[in-house]
Amino acid sequence: MRPLIIDYPSLQSLKQKYLSTLLTFFFWVIWLYLWMPLITLLGWWTGADLFYHHMIKFGGNQLLYKDLFFFLKGISLLGSSLAIWASYNYFRFRKVDRRTALPPVKNEQLSAFFGIEKDNLHNLQDTKYISVYFDHDGQITETKNNDPLPAK
């Protein structure tokens, strides 16, 4: 048995796809038309007639257009400045590879930086749990190897 076209829209011809889209649009319009009395009632109940009087009859929409134009100018100014900055960065850094990996740190550098002896550093690296104590300046004062708690 051949599969139904409704289950596989890819089997439809172009004419059938357009017809399906047109029918869907048509029935959505009818559906909205049937809801129009309820939408109108909700509009009256929420005061949409006041909106009409203030915005259309009294010309409040002109002030709205002026404000919208002002906001659009500000958004355009900010957007264009961002685009200029992005273009500047692109042309400046387009052939520079800034994402290179840092060289690995050697144990001698670590022990010199933290002020720890090399043997103690090696023991700390092999230990699973350690405690590190610092002074008020942030320098390491003491390290302890901590064994995990004994199993119950």
Side-chain angles (χ1 to χ4, degrees):
M1 180 177 190
R2 292 179 52 191
L4 296 175
I5 290 180
I6 197 165
D7 293 332
Y8 297 97
S10 60
L11 297 177
Q12 291 179 342
S13 67
L14 189 60
K15 185 177 173 182
Q16 289 172 330
K17 288 180 185 179
Y18 281 133
L19 183 63
S20 173
T21 304
L22 182 67
L23 285 174
T24 303
F25 176 74
F26 178 71
F27 283 110
W28 271 111
V29 168
I30 290 174
W31 180 251
L32 289 176
Y33 179 75
L34 291 174
W35 278 93
M36 198 53 73
L38 183 62
I39 293 170
T40 305
L41 181 65
L42 287 174
W44 285 336
W45 185 61
T46 58
D49 56 336
L50 293 175
F51 175 81
Y52 173 77
H53 283 294
H54 288 285
M55 296 303 283
I56 307 300
K57 267 189 156 177
F58 299 139
N61 57 349
Q62 298 302 322
L63 293 174
L64 177 68
Y65 295 147
K66 287 180 185 176
D67 287 344
L68 285 177
F69 184 68
F70 175 73
F71 287 130
L72 286 175
K73 284 194 310 188
I75 289 170
S76 300
L77 180 68
L78 293 173
S80 61
S81 66
L82 181 63
I84 290 169
W85 179 253
S87 301
Y88 166 76
N89 281 331
Y90 172 74
F91 287 117
R92 182 174 176 204
F93 297 114
R94 69 178 171 220
K95 294 182 181 175
V96 178
D97 186 16
R98 296 175 292 163
R99 294 176 181 92
T100 57
L102 294 174
V105 179
K106 298 179 182 171
N107 285 342
E108 295 83 20
Q109 294 171 324
L110 277 176
S111 64
F113 182 79
F114 288 114
I116 300 174
E117 297 151 6
K118 290 180 187 177
D119 295 334
N120 191 13
L121 178 65
H122 184 67
N123 290 339
L124 291 173
Q125 287 176 336
D126 290 339
T127 305
K128 190 170 184 178
Y129 300 101
I130 61 172
S131 294
V132 180
Y133 300 94
F134 300 93
D135 62 6
H136 293 291
D137 296 326
Q139 299 297 322
I140 296 175
T141 58
E142 184 182 355
T143 59
K144 288 184 183 178
N145 297 344
N146 291 340
D147 291 330
L149 295 174
K152 292 184 179 180

